[in-house]
Amino acid sequence: MDNLHSYLIISSILFSLGLFGVMTRRNGVAVLMGIELILNAANLNFVAFNRFGGMAELDGQVFGIFIIVLAAAEAAVALAIIINLFKNHETVNIDSADQMKG
Amino acid sequence: MSNFSSIAFYLPELLLVLTILAVIVVDLIPGLKRFNWIIALAGIVFTGVLLYGDSGVSESLYLGTIASDPFAYFFKWIFLIAGFFTILVSRHTHALRGADLPEYNALLLIVVFGLFLMASATNLVTVYLGMIETVSLPSYVLAGILKNDRKSNEASLKYVIFGAFSSGLMVYGFSWLYGLTGSMSLSGIQQGLAGVQEPLALYMAILLVLAGFGYKISMVPFHFWTPDVYEGSPTPITGFLSVAPKAAGFAILMRFFYSVFTTNSLTTIAGVDWLTLIALLSAVTMTFGNLIALQQENVKRMLAFSSIAHAGYMLMALSILSPDAIKAVMVYLTMYLFMNMGAFFMVIFAENQLNAHTLEDWKGLGRKAPFLGALMVILMMSLTGLPPSAGFVGKLYLFAVVIASKKFYWLAIVGVLNSVVSLFYYFRIVKAMWLFSPADPKPVKADSVIGLSILLFTIPALLLGIYWTPIINLIDKSIGF
């Protein structure tokens, strides 16, 4: 577990799981969890590249912190919108919001 | 330039931040609450004054993460104009009467600040911060600002899901780009690209980044959110979203691809010809937007699809990616700002006075309000690209670039055919307005602010088609990264 490749493999597994979650889940909160997984995959990549890629500066790790903060902000906004969906439709199934089509 | 000395070149943005804070604070003071829109507008005006003082500056600020250059400068004007009129018009939009307008104004100003950041970002961190945090997050809230309106709620839900997803893809692409090139800054990435050993990984990274940018400019196949978000959002927000973030998306796309790729021979990366890929996406985007717009009955939704088509036209020039192409996109964005926002103001007028949403509701509107109806004809001409209108000049520049490059003749032909298709649906609106007699022939009068805004946006949409030298001069000075 001390080389770049294992981290990249884990991050790509995380990314694929996140992608799968976003594509298949219809529960709004579960879709958000899929998106978090994608963001964490990116996060892991940044930190791993920074640690093993021979980068002089810590910018990859700083980006990681930014992603954590942004993921939290994004989740807050998205959850507020999903709560509003629940108030209007009494479900968190994102397919229930289907008034506009075509 | 170091952080401290950068401040001198970052005054417009700082003033914008101060304005945001002032709007939020004033909202808390009962007696002053109703003045918040004046503060917001004054903030934008003074930001414009400071911005004017920055003209001609070309500096790299904050340790090379933000550029204050003529290119960003030009786009900042577009954002300020769009933001100013959106705030102005929102007060007179009946649909927004239930919304908390001070909050709304503050969010809108945050979006404008984020757009500033997007247009001047030269580092992956600032691209991500500008694009995701400061533009997208408040936009999701703005789309859903009418909390009890199901459509508005649906719009914000679709916006946040697609937005968060595509930004996730983009940032994953960024992580690979960083890993492969070893740098966060665009110039560093450009230098690092030459030494990349794994072309396949680079290919994937660029595709993922393209997904993030493509989402912002609603490029097919990342356009799914566009029609629903545009239809469901309050109309002033729709007008704003269809112009300002799209302009910023193009700004970042051009800066990114131009500074990262043009100096390395673009075609050699991973054995894929990126320019041909963008040309194909452009053809698909405009054809898709136009063909679906043909079938729409809801005017707002029709304009949403037409905005996808306009993104396709602009992508056409991006597939050439020369300084001339960048100039053409900037010309088109200027024209598009006036004609598209003007058309959305007209939609606000129709919704306000007649509660009109579909083409059926619009029937006879021209006879009820002849002056505004005539202005709408000019706007529709401009959006189609008929001479003598601003849209025609914009398209002229785009097509000229594509033909002059001798690379994608077929793309120019697709573009012209698409313009013909767009004529049909834009003039369905004109036909509905003028060729039917209204059920109730009583004349309607627009709210003076909205009427004036339509007029103010129609004048350039016509005038810039006749005399466009000043805009070209401005843009010629603005091409410099």
Side-chain angles (χ1 to χ4, degrees), chain B residues 142-160:
Chain B
L142 282 172
I145 197 95
L146 303 171
K147 273 184 272 185
N148 300 320
D149 182 278
R150 281 185 164 216
K151 273 190 167 181
S152 179
N153 185 209
E154 184 179 336
S156 69
L157 179 76
K158 287 182 174 164
Y159 205 9
V160 77

Side-chain angles (χ1 to χ4, degrees), chain A residues 17-18 21-37 71 74-86 91-96, chain B residues 157 160-161 164:
Chain A
L17 284 176
V22 173
M23 300 279 181
T24 55
R25 296 297 166 135
R26 302 279 45 99
N27 181 319
V29 181
V31 173
L32 277 187
M33 286 160 69
I35 292 166
E36 289 306 292
L37 282 185
E74 203 162 56
V77 170
L79 281 175
I81 289 169
I82 290 173
I83 288 173
N84 202 19
L85 173 82
F86 184 75
T91 167
V92 287
N93 186 332
I94 51 175
D95 284 343
S96 66
Chain B
L157 179 76
V160 77
I161 299 278

Side-chain angles (χ1 to χ4, degrees), chain B residues 325-343:
Chain B
I326 290 176
K327 178 176 159 187
V329 174
M330 284 157 91
V331 173
Y332 199 83
L333 276 170
T334 317
M335 311 307 186
Y336 178 71
L337 162 75
F338 292 114
M339 57 200 190
N340 209 46
M341 278 197 91

